[in-house]
Amino acid sequence: MGAQGTHRVNTTERLAKLRELMKKEGVDVWVVPSEDQHYSEYLAHCDERRGFISGFNGSAGCAVVTLEKAFLFTDGRYFLQAEKQLDDNWTLMKQGLPDVPTWQDFLHKNLDGSLKIGIDPTIIVADDAAALRKNLEPKQSELVLLRNNLVDEVWGTDRPPKPHNPVFHLDEKYSGQSFTEKIEKVREILEKEKAKAVVVNMLDEVAWLFNLRGSDIDYNPVFFAYSVITKDSTVLFIESKKLDEAARKYLGDAVEIRPYEEIFDYLKSLPGALGLDGSKDGPKILVPNKASLAIVESISPSPPSATSSSSPPPIYHKIVPSPVADLKAIKNATELEGFRQSHIRDGAALARYFAWLEEALNDGKEVNEWQGAEVLENYRKELVLFKGLSFTTISSTGPNGAIIHYSPDPKDCAVIKKEQIYLCDSGAQFLDGTTDVTRTWHFGTPKPEEIRAFTRVLQGHISIDTAIFPTGTTGFVIDSFARRALWQDGLDYRHGTGHGVGHFLNVHEGPQGIGVRIVLNNTPLKPGMTVSNEPGYYEDGQYGIRIENIVLVKEAETPNNFGQKGYLGFEHVTLCPIQTKLVDISLLTEQEKKWLNDYHKEIWEKVSPLLKNDTRALEWLRRECEPI
Amino acid sequence: MGAQGTHRVNTTERLAKLRELMKKEGVDVWVVPSEDQHYSEYLAHCDERRGFISGFNGSAGCAVVTLEKAFLFTDGRYFLQAEKQLDDNWTLMKQGLPDVPTWQDFLHKNLDGSLKIGIDPTIIVADDAAALRKNLEPKQSELVLLRNNLVDEVWGTDRPPKPHNPVFHLDEKYSGQSFTEKIEKVREILEKEKAKAVVVNMLDEVAWLFNLRGSDIDYNPVFFAYSVITKDSTVLFIESKKLDEAARKYLGDAVEIRPYEEIFDYLKSLPGALGLDGSKDGPKILVPNKASLAIVESISPSPPSATSSSSPPPIYHKIVPSPVADLKAIKNATELEGFRQSHIRDGAALARYFAWLEEALNDGKEVNEWQGAEVLENYRKELVLFKGLSFTTISSTGPNGAIIHYSPDPKDCAVIKKEQIYLCDSGAQFLDGTTDVTRTWHFGTPKPEEIRAFTRVLQGHISIDTAIFPTGTTGFVIDSFARRALWQDGLDYRHGTGHGVGHFLNVHEGPQGIGVRIVLNNTPLKPGMTVSNEPGYYEDGQYGIRIENIVLVKEAETPNNFGQKGYLGFEHVTLCPIQTKLVDISLLTEQEKKWLNDYHKEIWEKVSPLLKNDTRALEWLRRECEPI
């Protein structure tokens, strides 16, 4: 995500100020990761520290500033953008290229001497910091943890304010479960794990747990907060004035509200309050594996000097995959029904937009990518329960479609061309669900190779949609279904096939997903999980193709049940036609043809009733849903 | 593998003798793993120690004998057999069931006190022993390494002699590469790894490396030997009289022959001879990760007491995946052509047998499973370059086909029934290749559910056969292709989809394979590798279905080459009809029908010329190869 900006910032003064502060604090290096305190994928503007100090505002990267030099580490998706945005103060480190170290390895492999490496412990994951510390040991380099973030000091009054947006209660007719029931389930996990407390650090997990929503981060209906659950207490760390009256009433006496900043002091006193003994096998405080070093250091502080201690320091915490993430990933019946309903409405807006766009292009009107996205957003705004977009709309013509993280710059974007493939990836937040859908259109005469690639992508999409698999199967194992048809032609795509999707929450959520990252092999797909199904193909400089639906994991009806474990499949909820003009029917099996016709019939039945007042969209939908 | 014996041995006397020896040696526990010195899958009879001491002769298991009790650990494949074979002295430990520990965990979790646990270091893998030692530490239990295997002492003169079978040279017209070239490649790896030597401990690797073959182990044309390669020397540890004159002449002066038993003394002196300094980053001797503890202890002996040492002991070795296994796995053009040719001949024997069997059953003759296997073997014996079977033939009628490791007992096996599914998994060793093929037949009228399951298995088989995938893809990733069609019906199978196959060597070889074991995700499939493609379905108590071909990995021709890495596919070499009577054609796609017809056409063209003298087989082949 993030705009493909070309704006170059002069960072000379910023770096000079930072180095001054570094000298004052006695550190040789200052590290600026991308993360906020909650390991959020999308950041509030006040947390875009790496963007501020380096000028590079892509979503992934890490800045390493020494007293003499400055290095910006990022991956292949962002080489071009970083080259455009970084000024001469910076050396771009292209991670993934041979002989280019990660920023972590760089600190102990490429920098000489014993160094004091400063970092803000609230924005580095504890496990990552531990690995880093271990690698730094042989050179006697060390991490220096500074809670006053030096970049924030440089930023000063220009730094955007921390958001203070209101937090509201999501009615149980949408969430389907009271927060007290959810907390009861968390306590069952504590019981099972023989643990005494759990820290909740991810913003979407806090929002889900308390049936609260906010708007502190664009596109993500979350708010800055932490929570700690023990057997007897539920503490929500939040700026209390954010909670509106209904939210406060909803939480009632069951939840203790404390100031956001108090989390660390609270955690410091928690082992004592819980009577933990710090022994190896004693009860622990569960800490999610994406929690910050500051959280872990608050619970189990490092001994003052690693060498002087004779006995091992007490350990009061245990790092685990977040139990709340696992609970949240499995949607309840109300949430699933909300997904279905919100996708019907979303389908109406999509039909209206694509019908409008087709007519506009046929009429020779000039529509640029950003204008197209605006029209789509306006149609969505008319929908009931609409609460905003779920991410920046990707509206891209021709070659721009091959840039996977493209989004049009309102001031500088391409005009949508009738004779180029148009790729549109968009989504919305509704009170009853979150949508994320990609469709690829050709409004003129597609080239044979475009039709061929589109058909292969479609076959991969259908293969996931129709897959049945035994309970226990992971998204890593079925990913190859999405690629098989493309591979037959020597084609592939360099992204995952599907990400988890939150319920009126982040459009990307874990731990579930379909893809080639081995970590996805740790999470079996379970009934009630939601994932996207989005194979694609990208021809650099030419076009991009992606077909994306959201699917729900559900129990499958099979004539047998070998192994007695039950079989699972998917239910698609996205309802938008797939352009048959781009399909080479001769490549499809009978089963695939039937799937496409059945899908279009379903769309027509569910979405057409919502288009009574838009004849153009209705006629467009009728035509696009015709059987092949 | 291994006969499904029901014979029960009285082990009272054996155990009493063993315990006497244990007391003499001062050990509280004696461990009897299944392995020989070379981690062979198949054992010479003299190495079947666990079978001797426990009476249980399945292929997988470990015996743990204390001064009072005796425990036999095995997995679900062998519960039934072990229950039948173990006498009252033994407690069967069903590994894989809840709360049943592995034998390793059992030693530190279930046995009380600080124990001296005796084991023969030549038959336990070094890495496994290291993990074991670590777990034993907290209880101050320890491994006691005894080179005089106590079970061998108990066995005494009844122990079968170590085989002394002759070793012969495999002509380069079959191996395709001189042993000096192979050793040159090994030395290139040493150079690349900055290592000074490599130990070759697996028997098939030694055989492959020197273009030698033997017959010390049934079905595996290998011989007992080790090798050590340094930059300047090539040492073969073998009982020298085994080498026939041609073999000796072939090796010439390039290879130093030393007695088999000298390997350990040689390794003891090797670090000194190579001038290794034992430092952390210094040059090392490469030791394959399946080498025994005895090998590692010879190179880098453990310090006399773990607690008394102040500085870390010198380390002269480095454990790695066997470099020879990786070289061997990729067959050269001669070996690949040998695979093709040997499979054509093998196809003729298969056609003759299945035609004979069909006629016999139609004529109402009584043929039992073992007799069937004999007829097949006799047809194979007539083939040129035939050197024996590659494993015990699985010839199984009805319910026996559902027992995956079944092989008929000549004295006690079922009569093949015309109205039951017949599963035959068999293979041969030829000078030019190794075969392994499974076909499933119904000589009467198959039931609808049998047809349905067979068709699903066939679809999985075709899906692997026709798969195309980018370079770098592993057999773990494509395994799901073989299961997809079965999963659609709620069916599956509890074994891998494909194993590596040696070239006139072991029918099972690593590291390549297709399956669900995560270790298979470490080995990308590469051109020249050979694997089996053998999905199946097993209905307990009813029937077994498996369709197995050997396929070669080769470069695929694709219209595109996304990522510039090249795409790969398979070439099947097995040539035996797949019974169309068992196929529900309505379930097949047009592509699948075409595959089946093309395959049968290919079989007819390649195999029919070899059947000129067997009209019955020729007519059978003509009919079975008719298009659907």
Side-chain angles (χ1 to χ4, degrees), chain A residues 468 558-563 567, chain B residues 485-492 537:
Chain A
I468 289 175
T558 51
N560 308 281
N561 183 15
F562 178 80
Y567 285 72
Chain B
L486 283 159
W487 287 350
Q488 295 285 325
D489 280 358
L491 304 178
D492 202 351
Y537 176 69

Side-chain angles (χ1 to χ4, degrees), chain A residues 463 466 468 484 489-490 560 562, chain B residues 463 466 484 487 489-490 560 562:
Chain A
S463 187
T466 59
I468 289 175
R484 182 183 168 98
D489 280 359
N560 308 281
F562 178 80
Chain B
S463 187
T466 57
R484 182 184 169 96
W487 287 350
D489 280 358
N560 308 281
F562 178 81

Side-chain angles (χ1 to χ4, degrees), chain A residues 161-192:
Chain A
K162 192 114 183 154
H164 303 281
N165 299 337
V167 170
F168 61 96
H169 164 226
L170 180 66
D171 198 288
E172 280 173 29
K173 74 179 166 188
Y174 303 121
S175 69
Q177 198 179 15
S178 69
F179 80 92
T180 49
E181 285 175 84
K182 292 179 180 179
I183 284 165
E184 222 30 70
K185 285 197 179 169
V186 173
R187 292 203 170 113
E188 281 167 25
I189 294 170
L190 291 182
E191 188 91 13
K192 209 178 122 206

Side-chain angles (χ1 to χ4, degrees), chain B residues 323-339:
Chain B
V324 177
D326 290 342
L327 293 172
K328 177 171 62 66
I330 296 174
K331 276 71 185 172
N332 61 43
T334 306
E335 291 172 320
L336 293 174
E337 186 54 25
F339 263 100

Side-chain angles (χ1 to χ4, degrees), chain A residues 47 85 115 123 157 175 213 222 241 285 329 394 429 561 584 597 605:
Chain A
D47 286 323
Q85 294 187 318
L115 300 172
I123 59 172
T157 52
S175 69
R213 296 296 188 270
V222 297
K241 67 178 183 196
I285 298 167
I394 298 175
Q429 297 286 4
N561 183 15
D584 178 349
N597 288 337
E605 284 166 4

